[in-house]
Amino acid sequence: MEAIRTVTEELLGLFYIRRPSASYLPPLKPSPNYIEQGIPYLVVLIVLEAVLYRLQGHRKPDIADVTGSMSQGMMQETMRYTLRGCEGWAYVYVWRHWRCFDVPWDSPISFWLTMLGVDFGYYWFHRAAHEVNIVWASHQVHHSSEHYNLSTAFRQSFVQQYFSWGVYLPLALLGVAPSMFFTHAQFNLLYQFWIHTEMVKSIGPLEHVLNTPSHHRVHHGSNVKYLDKNYAGVLIIWDRLFGTFCWEEETPTYGLVHNIESYDVWTIQLAHFRWIASDVRQQVGWKNKMKRLLYGPGWVPGTGRLGDASTFPEPDPKRPRFDTTVPGWLRAYVFVHFMLVMVPSANFAQNHLVYPVPICLLYSAALMFMITCLGWLLDGARLAPVAELLRCGLCLLSLPHLGWLPAAAAAAARALFLASILLWLLRGVVSAVGTARTKAE
């Protein structure tokens, strides 16, 4: 019964249905990693959504897009664990030295007021992430998928968190304990997982209060009427108060105004930063250069802060979604290997504070290299087979050093990597023979 109660509480917790007393912690005691605890449930829900889509006769989720979205999430978490949450240091410092009050950390009133404060801060950061170009350069990663399903929630920037920390410092000044703030920051993020779906059409009167799948579908639309709308995290009331609310009417066309046609994690993460760097150099005068950084992504000289919406292109709802021509077996191969990469990633998440810095850096570099190789395979990059052969070889060599991995799992992984190495060697031989014959003819 205890196990059932725990699972029930953790599942309900994904929807912010929580007992305040269950998360009371002394101010400087590290809060549990609720996101890590929730990942198994999130993966199960992603699979369940995919099954329901198929049972209802809808187009099945694109496995390459799902892999791409989850890869971005893994990149974000790897970077966060490598830098050991340095973005949170400022909050702790301000609370310790400059807080005005001592907000009780074991009070239900404090719990719910902190929930409102964190959600209010999230609204304003999220709004800045769309209306300030340099911040949008990080946030556009989340909007880069042309699909909309639960896996899209994982598609996150690995630098966005280093833009967001400042908006929450007023809570530290007011005296909200770090333990309570970091707990609610996780709850707020977990809540936003379930709203990334097309399965739920409406939840009735609660649509007026909560952020819901319908409201968030609007937010992910690239339709001109939907741009810069519905910034809410948990409560849609902020959008209603500050004039950024929009009801869902026609089906949104998901993605960016100008889509990124790649599965490479680095291309998706850095594309807009590269564009800004190029465009800033082309602007005349330092004022225009600063405006390119600090005004909206749609700004051009002679328009308002967010640009002229009448000049924005309206997306074609029938436009083909980006897809590479890689065969189905390769998509399945990449997905299987990505799920395998999640194993050392989970170990890294659990032990990053125990490992010394050099080991953390090595772990981080290895995980990023693995994810990069899989993205190249989906893109059909020229060097992808060589990189994948190298990745499988390095993984095979590293298995004996992973003492935490059960023997049966290590044996299965060894067999998979050996088979993969043979596959890519065979394909290399076949390709070389084919090239030689072509030259001979």
Side-chain angles (χ1 to χ4, degrees):
M1 290 298 294
E2 181 64 25
I4 294 175
R5 187 177 68 84
T6 300
V7 170
T8 301
E9 286 189 350
E10 290 178 347
L11 278 172
L12 290 175
L14 300 180
F15 303 91
Y16 228 126
I17 304 173
R18 297 178 178 271
R19 290 184 298 114
S21 59
S23 59
Y24 291 162
L25 290 170
L28 294 176
K29 185 176 178 62
S31 59
N33 194 329
Y34 293 104
I35 293 175
E36 182 184 321
Q37 292 175 9
I39 284 178
Y41 301 108
L42 306 187
V43 173
V44 169
L45 289 172
I46 288 172
V47 174
L48 180 60
E49 180 193 43
V51 171
L52 290 175
Y53 269 127
R54 293 300 291 159
L55 291 176
Q56 293 180 3
H58 296 300
R59 178 181 176 181
K60 63 181 179 181
D62 187 290
I63 192 170
D65 183 78
V66 170
T67 305
S69 292
M70 296 183 73
S71 295
Q72 304 296 337
M74 188 180 292
M75 287 281 281
Q76 181 204 42
E77 290 300 286
T78 299
M79 183 67 73
R80 186 164 67 89
Y81 292 135
T82 303
L83 298 179
R84 304 193 176 190
C86 65
E87 75 281 5
W89 296 347
Y91 188 96
V92 175
Y93 184 87
V94 170
W95 179 85
R96 296 183 81 162
H97 297 282
W98 296 333
R99 68 182 184 271
C100 300
F101 310 99
D102 284 309
V103 176
W105 53 267
D106 55 354
S107 161
I109 296 176
S110 300
F111 181 92
W112 293 115
L113 287 178
T114 302
M115 178 268 189
L116 287 173
V118 169
D119 200 47
F120 183 67
Y122 177 83
Y123 169 85
W124 285 107
F125 167 70
H126 195 185
R127 185 165 178 173
H130 282 257
E131 299 182 6
V132 177
N133 201 20
I134 189 65
V135 189
W136 168 250
S138 66
H139 186 63
Q140 58 85 31
V141 175
H142 184 59
H143 288 261
S144 60
S145 175
E146 296 179 72
H147 300 261
Y148 192 79
N149 51 59
L150 291 175
S151 72
T152 308
F154 282 88
R155 188 174 285 244
Q156 300 288 338
S157 164
F158 61 63
V159 297
Q160 178 177 292
Q161 58 209 13
Y162 306 110
F163 287 107
S164 65
W165 60 271
V167 300
Y168 300 110
L169 293 185
L171 294 175
L173 285 170
L174 289 172
V176 174
S179 60
M180 187 168 283
F181 165 71
F182 291 122
T183 292
H184 279 281
Q186 293 186 77
F187 291 170
N188 190 281
L189 184 61
L190 282 170
Y191 175 90
Q192 294 178 55
F193 172 78
W194 82 277
I195 61 179
H196 291 84
T197 185
E198 293 183 297
M199 298 293 297
V200 180
K201 302 305 179 184
S202 172
I203 60 171
L206 290 177
E207 297 280 347
H208 294 274
V209 180
L210 297 176
N211 193 14
T212 66
S214 176
H215 298 328
H216 206 60
R217 287 193 291 269
V218 166
H219 180 70
H220 274 257
S222 58
N223 315 60
V224 173
K225 67 181 292 185
Y226 290 159
L227 296 178
D228 302 327
K229 295 293 189 293
N230 297 0
Y231 295 121
V234 176
L235 300 173
I236 201 66
I237 58 174
W238 312 123
D239 288 285
R240 291 178 165 279
L241 284 172
F242 299 113
T244 53
F245 177 73
C246 181
W247 288 105
E248 182 181 28
E249 294 175 350
E250 64 263 26
T251 301
T253 300
Y254 303 114
L256 302 168
V257 173
H258 302 289
N259 286 309
I260 302 171
E261 298 190 338
S262 175
Y263 292 113
D264 174 39
V265 288
W266 297 102
T267 298
I268 295 171
Q269 289 282 341
L270 302 176
H272 200 71
F273 284 108
R274 291 170 177 164
W275 181 83
I276 289 176
S278 173
D279 197 61
V280 165
R281 289 195 295 268
Q282 297 176 27
Q283 298 299 324
V284 178
W286 67 269
K287 287 186 178 180
N288 282 341
K289 293 181 185 296
M290 292 303 296
K291 286 179 178 180
R292 170 51 69 208
L293 293 174
L294 302 178
Y295 279 20
W299 173 83
V300 293
T303 65
R305 184 175 63 86
L306 299 181
D308 182 357
S310 67
T311 65
F312 297 168
E314 190 69 55
D316 180 1
K318 297 182 179 179
R319 69 187 183 189
R321 293 169 173 169
F322 168 70
D323 194 10
T324 56
T325 57
V326 297
W329 71 264
L330 185 54
R331 295 167 188 265
Y333 171 95
V334 169
F335 184 76
V336 169
H337 276 268
F338 174 76
M339 298 305 290
L340 196 61
V341 172
M342 289 185 71
V343 177
S345 176
N347 176 266
F348 185 43
Q350 293 172 355
N351 298 292
H352 68 283
L353 292 176
V354 178
Y355 293 145
V357 171
I359 296 299
C360 273
L361 293 175
L362 183 62
Y363 231 127
S364 176
L367 288 172
M368 289 184 177
F369 175 66
M370 293 178 194
I371 298 169
T372 300
C373 290
L374 297 178
W376 286 352
L377 285 174
L378 290 175
D379 266 2
R382 184 172 59 88
L383 294 177
V386 176
E388 178 62 9
L389 185 61
L390 176 61
R391 184 190 74 87
C392 290
L394 290 175
C395 288
L396 188 63
L397 292 173
S398 68
L399 283 175
H401 303 284
L402 304 181
W404 48 267
L405 194 63
R414 188 177 300 108
L416 180 63
F417 287 127
L418 279 171
S420 299
I421 289 171
L422 291 174
L423 169 68
W424 293 109
L425 286 174
L426 180 60
R427 287 182 62 83
V429 170
V430 171
S431 177
V433 171
T435 301
R437 284 181 178 175
T438 300
K439 289 181 177 180
E441 293 174 357

